[in-house]
Amino acid sequence: MKQQGGRFITVEGGEGAGKSSNLAFVQSLLEAAGKKVLFTREPGGTPLGESIRELLLGHKHTGMADETELLLMFAARAEHLRRKILPALESGTWVLCDRFTDASYAYQGAGRGITRDRIAILENYVQGDLRPDLTLLLDLPVETGLERAGNRSAPDRFEKEAMDFFKKVRQGYLDIAASEPDRVRIIDASPALEQVQAQISHVIQDYLASSDG
Ligand code: TMP
């Protein structure tokens, strides 16, 4: 699964990190640089993937086994990659994805306790050698994030988890960033939006200047 042409950029972060507005901002920066951008999300991004998302986030299957959860994430991802992400990259389109496999390591790995090695088996099986080229991790203290997210719509199955779960997820993401500092760039999502966007802009301009795309 060798990618040609487009670059694969992902955005990750905990609850209330401001993913939606910042994703739109990243897209606008890339488009201003003349890139054709496909924006998509996980779990989801295809009709089948969106149905799997409903199973994962809805409350119909509250007692879902951790392994089922992980496998459903990767089932949605397999479909997403083959039907949408890889064809786009091959045609030279840049793909901007709201969450990807780092979320499986953070939520199912650090959060639920599934080992890295098991997740890596699925990652290699489903993705071959495809990995994001650049990942922005919107990081902020769990308390701040939950406060910000608190006044939104009814919580999904993940949002109902306890504080301790989100702390493990945050640490999981920070561990990934520490082990892959070139790919994963930490954005401090605590300050006001303009300051967050200034950091994002810096990282994206830097990436555009260094990538030959
Ligand atoms: P969100 O994209 O709207 O934040 O919701 C997706 C939820 O799914 C979020 O709580 C994180 C979770 N998730 C995982 O647990 N593992 C994954 O691999 C992905 C992509 C998402």
Side-chain angles (χ1 to χ4, degrees):
M1 269 198 261
K2 214 57 221 142
Q3 78 193 70
Q4 303 142 10
R7 298 286 185 279
F8 184 27
I9 299 180
T10 62
V11 175
E12 302 277 355
E15 309 301 314
K19 255 184 325 109
S20 307
S21 30
N22 289 312
L23 276 157
F25 181 64
V26 172
Q27 180 163 6
S28 70
L29 292 173
L30 296 173
E31 286 174 348
K35 308 300 177 194
K36 186 172 173 218
V37 180
L38 173 74
F39 172 64
T40 186
R41 70 169 179 183
E42 291 215 344
T46 64
L48 175 53
E50 292 293 328
S51 297
I52 295 175
R53 181 183 177 95
E54 280 172 31
L55 294 174
L56 282 161
L57 301 195
H59 297 284
K60 195 172 167 199
H61 306 289
T62 43
M64 185 184 297
D66 296 345
E67 291 76 10
T68 311
E69 185 177 283
L70 178 69
L71 289 164
L72 286 174
M73 292 292 176
F74 272 97
R77 185 162 296 136
E79 186 75 4
H80 196 199
L81 270 175
R82 281 157 185 78
R83 300 219 176 264
K84 200 162 170 184
I85 296 176
L86 288 172
L89 291 173
E90 276 156 21
S91 76
T93 298
W94 286 44
V95 176
L96 175 62
C97 194
D98 179 352
R99 298 194 189 279
F100 195 64
T101 303
D102 293 319
S104 300
Y105 282 105
Y107 283 77
Q108 284 67 53
R112 304 278 193 227
I114 298 178
T115 64
R116 262 201 71 80
D117 290 355
R118 291 206 167 153
I119 300 174
I121 291 169
L122 294 175
E123 180 180 37
N124 291 330
Y125 174 53
V126 169
Q127 295 169 220
D129 59 6
L130 185 95
R131 299 290 181 273
D133 296 298
L134 174 70
T135 298
L136 303 185
L137 171 58
L138 301 174
D139 177 63
L140 82 174
V142 171
E143 291 83 353
T144 318
L146 291 179
E147 230 167 76
R148 285 188 188 171
N151 39 19
R152 285 200 213 129
S153 51
D156 65 35
R157 202 173 57 83
F158 287 99
E159 289 162 347
K160 287 191 95 135
E161 287 294 334
M163 179 75 84
D164 180 52
F165 176 80
F166 295 116
K167 290 198 165 157
K168 289 188 207 158
V169 168
R170 182 188 187 200
Q171 194 53 53
Y173 273 131
L174 290 172
D175 290 346
I176 297 170
S179 67
E180 290 180 75
D182 289 341
R183 173 177 70 87
V184 183
R185 307 292 300 272
I186 299 176
I187 305 292
D188 177 6
S190 327
L193 190 62
E194 307 82 71
Q195 285 159 272
V196 176
Q197 294 190 337
Q199 299 171 63
I200 292 175
S201 181
H202 181 79
V203 169
I204 295 291
Q205 300 308 345
D206 215 41
Y207 181 74
L208 287 168
S210 67
S211 83
D212 52 356

